[in-house]
Amino acid sequence: MEREPKKFSSPEPIKASDSDPKFPLEVAKIAGTDLNACLTCMSCSGGCPMYQYMDYGPHGAMRLIVLGLKKEVLTSNTIWRCLGCHTCAAVCPMAINIAGVMDYLRQECLAEKLPVGDKPLFEFHRCMMNTIRRHGRTHKVELMVEHKIRNLGSGVGALFQDSIVGQKMILMGKLHLMPSRIISSGRAQVTK
């Protein structure tokens, strides 16, 4: 992953006509968090392990939401490069559920059929969600194989580039060939 320049250095001004005043209310309601409490202190971005690879970072995404710049935040790579590790929420002095907001933004991007900010990560996300739908949790071997097959455009060599590491992980008991399943009622909750 290459480091991208931050978009905040862009000389283009933000236009008030691009703003959707209902968007911050919608996000706050669905994510169950008060976005107006954000101090833009950048603690979330300071703790984020992926911040250097994002175009806006968690604090920038929060600011775009508050400003109502729906299309800008939904087409950013920030929402796709978020790991969902909740470090941002843990360090936020206002206890804003930023990881929950990022989850909602990804769903909204797909629902509105907007261009995805980071296509390879989106493909990985899609493969991961497929394994969760099938088993109720991720099955890492299946996830890796499906992701490699979906990305065959980068050459057949890419399919086998991690095979030696994968074999070592299987022998060490870190990867399991058979998926573990959760009970059927739990799978129904995950699907919901």
Side-chain angles (χ1 to χ4, degrees), residues 58-72:
H59 77 283
M62 295 300 293
R63 187 62 24 219
L64 289 171
I65 295 166
V66 170
L67 292 172
L69 298 171
K70 183 176 185 175
K71 187 175 181 187
E72 187 72 21

Side-chain angles (χ1 to χ4, degrees), residues 54-87:
M54 296 176 171
D55 50 6
Y56 290 112
H59 77 283
M62 295 300 293
R63 187 62 24 219
L64 289 171
I65 295 166
V66 170
L67 292 172
L69 298 171
K70 183 176 185 175
K71 187 175 181 187
E72 187 72 21
V73 73
L74 293 181
T75 57
S76 72
N77 75 15
T78 298
I79 64 176
W80 295 103
R81 292 188 177 182
C82 169
L83 299 174
C85 66
H86 292 267
T87 303

Side-chain angles (χ1 to χ4, degrees), residues 66-142:
V66 170
L67 292 172
L69 298 171
K70 183 176 185 175
K71 187 175 181 187
E72 187 72 21
V73 73
L74 293 181
T75 57
S76 72
N77 75 15
T78 298
I79 64 176
W80 295 103
R81 292 188 177 182
C82 169
L83 299 174
C85 66
H86 292 267
T87 303
C88 52
V91 299
C92 179
M94 303 308 289
I96 297 172
N97 182 9
I98 300 168
V101 169
M102 295 293 183
D103 285 340
Y104 170 72
L105 294 174
R106 283 189 289 267
Q107 292 172 13
E108 191 65 17
C109 174
L110 297 176
E112 298 212 1
K113 296 181 177 21
L114 291 170
V116 174
D118 192 325
K119 201 71 168 163
L121 246 76
F122 167 68
E123 289 299 331
F124 181 81
H125 175 78
R126 194 163 74 168
C127 295
M128 183 177 66
M129 295 308 290
N130 288 341
T131 65
I132 291 171
R133 272 188 215 97
R134 283 191 288 273
H135 309 294
R137 59 179 58 174
T138 57
H139 177 231
K140 293 170 189 75
V141 173
E142 184 178 318

